[in-house]
Amino acid sequence: MYARFNDIINALKGLGKVYTNHELVSNILRCLPVSLEPKVTEIEEAKDLSTLTLEALLGSLMTHDLRMSDQARNEPKKKKIALKASTDGESDEDKDEMALLTKETRRILLEK
């Protein structure tokens, strides 16, 4: 993203349009995905955007990305459940299986 952004800014400079550092930082923060909204808010509140450099912003975003990927890697995998569907009428045996399945599902969900 940063490389593409830099290419666009350099092309605009070649055409005579120059942006301040504050405008560049604000544009990047505004274009980030919604999933990074808490990080954007943190940066806006904790740092002076008029003096924040693009490199410092990029470093902060990359650090956040690395932390989030480490967290995702270290989280335990969640168990997934698949239910078997039948089209014919229910017999007593089917009802017993359904009761057992319901009981096991509750047990698994309560373990979380």
Side-chain angles (χ1 to χ4, degrees), residues 2 5 8 11 18 20 38 57 61 71-72 84 88 104-105 112:
Y2 180 69
F5 185 75
I8 293 169
V18 179
T20 65
L57 175 64
L61 292 172
Q71 256 183 352
K84 179 180 164 184
D88 56 334
E104 288 297 315
T105 304
K112 290 182 182 180

Side-chain angles (χ1 to χ4, degrees), residues 1 27 34 40 50 53-54 65 80 89 91 107:
M1 175 205 65
N27 283 339
V34 176
V40 170
S50 61
T53 64
L54 286 175
D65 188 37
K80 296 183 180 176
S91 66
R107 184 185 61 78

Side-chain angles (χ1 to χ4, degrees), residues 55-79:
E55 291 77 19
L57 175 64
L58 181 65
S60 180
L61 292 172
M62 288 175 68
T63 302
H64 176 71
D65 188 37
L66 287 173
R67 253 191 223 135
M68 296 307 288
S69 62
D70 277 349
Q71 256 183 352
R73 216 175 307 129
N74 294 334
E75 276 185 10
K77 302 277 183 190
K78 293 185 177 180
K79 296 179 185 177

Side-chain angles (χ1 to χ4, degrees), residues 93-106:
E93 194 173 285
D94 289 337
K95 289 179 184 176
D96 290 341
E97 285 181 26
M98 184 57 98
L100 180 62
L101 180 62
T102 303
K103 182 179 176 183
E104 288 297 315
T105 304
R106 281 189 187 143

